[in-house]
Amino acid sequence: MSQEVYILGGYQTDFARNWSKENKHFSAMMREVVRGALETTGLEPKDIQTGHVGNFAAELYCKQGHLGAFFVETHPLFSGLPTGRHEAACASGSIALLAASAEIEAGRYDVTAVVGIEQMKTVDSATGGDFLGTAAWYELEAAGIEFPFPKLFGKLGDEYDKRYGLKDEHLAGISAINYANAKLNPNAQTRTWYMNQGHAMCRTDDNPAVGGRIRISDCSQVTDGAATVFLASKSYAEKYAKAKGIPLASIPRIKGWGHHTARLRFEDKVLESKDSEYVLPHVRSTVTDAFKRAGMADVSGIDGIETHDCFTTSEYMAIDHFGLTKPGESWKAVEEGVIAIGGKCPINPSGGLIGAGHPVGATGVRQLLDAYKQVTGTAGDYQVEGAKNFATLNIGGSGTTSVTFIVGV
């Protein structure tokens, strides 16, 4: 990387809130999350030199485009600030982070703000499911199909079953871990919900199928929420550290990143990977690129992961694509407790998308913020003890756009 990119901190909203029921426009959500980040980090509005907004589908959910301009509305001193909006389905937040970090690397700016935001509870579940279908090839994979994405990620599980075998009990185990972790996170959507392995294995109307082998307990949440982080150059981070009376080395950096885009249709991805040991090889390349840029040989240098568990099958895929097991043996990491808090490499101590919530455009930024919290020892009850390096994996579509960051001190 040409210039180092530091993370000064950030803020997220309470993902359990329903902003429509509060009769609040998403501009209020953005104002809260930006001002909350300023207060948390001690930065002043005049310190922010550019703003990036990650958002998937405000035109559909809120009948509003041009979200970059809404960043300017969060504080009068932002009038005139260069801003923009980035979209890559569920990876929108991470694409915004990549653009912002590239500005720091290029030396264009010293401090950038990145906001991820989505307000999804403006419509009923069937309409929202149809909107989410636009993250696939809508005409070919989603038009006229009720809840297309559970079905697409059900097919991911089916492909694992075909190649390596897959037991529902291991997907249920992933669900139970995420729900349990969410109870430790004061911002998690499901922190007061009831769920355990037995309920996740239930095959009655209490846990109905919503798409192929995917049941309610396998799904991430429909969530209103936003997250903000501030990225900075080394020169600014040095001034920030001096002003705070802390060593520069205690401020986390983006040590590495990876980014690949696969073909849009799920069946084309599977066809391309038929001779690969990885079901989604472009996701694997995203992860290994991030390791390489961070100077890491493999996952052994990682203390924990915040991954994209839009469905339990996507986390099952992430386990072997990160290299925690051999391809097709993710079940071992579930059975052996590797991915639980206290395990060898905890996954989603925040609760992930299943437990913490999944405001689509915000998820990548929330993941990076949680990685920041972990390596600064500020994650509270869901802290991974001694964490120094944390990885993220954010996925848009059915494994189409994938982004990984390695955050560390």
Side-chain angles (χ1 to χ4, degrees), residues 51 90 161 169 179 185 196 243 254 256 262 288 290 303 346 365 381 386 397:
C90 302
D161 204 359
E169 65 193 62
Y179 273 101
N185 181 353
N196 60 21
I254 295 177
T288 55
D303 299 306
V365 183
D381 289 343

Side-chain angles (χ1 to χ4, degrees), residues 341-366:
I341 291 181
K344 183 179 177 182
C345 187
I347 291 185
N348 290 342
S350 70
L353 285 62
I354 289 174
H358 182 28
V360 171
T363 288
V365 183
R366 193 280 302 162

Side-chain angles (χ1 to χ4, degrees), residues 5 28 48 55 84 132 135 158 180 220 250 341 351 371 399:
V5 179
I48 311 303
N55 173 264
L132 290 170
D158 293 343
S220 58
S250 69
I341 291 181

Side-chain angles (χ1 to χ4, degrees), residues 87 167 185 188 209 303 324:
E87 189 276 314
K167 295 181 178 178
N185 181 353
D303 299 306
L324 288 171

Side-chain angles (χ1 to χ4, degrees), residues 3-343:
Q3 291 197 40
E4 293 177 311
V5 179
Y6 287 77
I7 307 168
L8 303 184
Y11 181 86
Q12 80 163 86
T13 60
D14 181 349
F15 282 6
R17 292 173 66 182
N18 182 324
W19 290 69
S20 294
K21 284 190 175 179
E22 294 180 21
N23 198 28
K24 291 178 179 175
H25 189 260
F26 73 79
S27 59
M29 192 191 306
M30 192 179 296
R31 187 178 306 113
E32 176 181 314
V33 81
V34 172
R35 294 197 175 208
L38 289 170
E39 182 176 348
T40 300
T41 60
L43 293 179
E44 298 290 337
K46 63 179 176 56
D47 297 322
I48 311 303
Q49 298 172 336
T50 182
H52 295 263
V53 177
N55 173 264
F56 168 48
E59 289 89 345
L60 296 174
Y61 286 105
C62 304
K63 204 173 178 55
Q64 179 64 60
H66 206 172
L67 264 68
F70 279 89
F71 182 89
V72 173
E73 298 291 337
T74 63
H75 196 285
L77 291 179
F78 288 151
S79 182
L81 203 73
T83 66
R85 177 262 190 97
H86 308 267
E87 189 276 314
C90 302
S92 298
S94 287
I95 296 299
L97 287 163
L98 282 172
S101 60
E103 287 187 331
I104 300 291
E105 292 174 38
R108 286 186 176 182
Y109 301 105
D110 285 311
V111 184
T112 68
V114 185
V115 179
I117 187 167
E118 206 79 55
Q119 185 176 9
M120 305 177 72
K121 295 181 177 178
T122 55
V123 297
D124 60 73
S125 59
T127 303
D130 186 59
F131 290 170
L132 290 170
T134 62
W137 191 323
Y138 183 78
E139 287 186 332
L140 302 179
E141 295 183 296
I145 298 174
E146 186 179 35
F147 304 120
F149 261 88
K151 294 179 173 63
L152 286 170
F153 276 90
K155 290 179 180 178
L156 175 62
D158 293 343
E159 189 63 25
Y160 263 94
D161 204 359
K162 175 184 171 185
R163 297 189 190 189
Y164 300 108
L166 174 62
K167 295 181 178 178
D168 288 344
E169 65 193 62
H170 295 123
L171 299 182
I174 288 171
S175 176
I177 289 172
N178 281 300
Y179 273 101
N181 291 350
K183 293 184 183 302
L184 306 174
N185 181 353
N187 288 317
Q189 184 173 355
T190 72
R191 60 186 183 264
T192 62
W193 296 12
Y194 175 80
M195 179 64 73
N196 60 21
Q197 174 105 10
H199 188 79
M201 281 298 294
C202 179
R203 293 296 178 263
T204 69
D205 288 344
D206 290 336
N207 187 27
V210 291
R213 67 194 309 146
I214 298 296
R215 293 181 173 272
I216 287 290
S217 59
D218 294 302
C219 300
S220 58
Q221 310 307 320
V222 175
T223 309
D224 291 345
T228 292
V229 296
F230 296 131
L231 306 182
S233 66
K234 183 176 182 179
S235 61
Y236 188 91
E238 287 173 337
K239 296 175 187 174
Y240 183 82
K242 185 176 181 181
K244 293 282 187 182
I246 59 175
L248 177 64
S250 69
I251 299 178
R253 292 179 292 121
I254 295 177
K255 292 183 172 181
W257 56 271
H259 174 202
H260 283 266
T261 305
R263 295 188 66 184
L264 193 55
R265 291 198 306 171
F266 183 74
E267 67 181 63
D268 290 330
K269 298 180 184 73
V270 172
L271 184 62
E272 284 191 344
S273 74
K274 62 182 176 61
D275 297 323
S276 170
E277 58 186 343
Y278 292 98
V279 176
L280 297 176
H282 291 301
V283 174
R284 172 63 178 169
S285 296
T286 296
V287 169
T288 55
D289 283 357
F291 287 156
K292 183 178 179 181
R293 290 184 171 110
M296 296 178 175
D298 54 36
V299 74
S300 64
I302 299 297
D303 299 306
I305 296 168
E306 284 288 333
T307 196
H308 201 89
D309 57 322
C310 52
F311 300 94
T312 51
T313 51
S314 60
E315 180 168 333
Y316 192 85
M317 175 275 298
I319 292 169
D320 64 4
H321 283 56
F322 264 102
L324 288 171
T325 68
K326 293 179 180 177
E329 297 184 354
S330 298
W331 58 272
K332 289 184 177 178
V334 180
E335 284 194 357
E336 296 169 1
V338 171
I339 62 172
I341 291 181

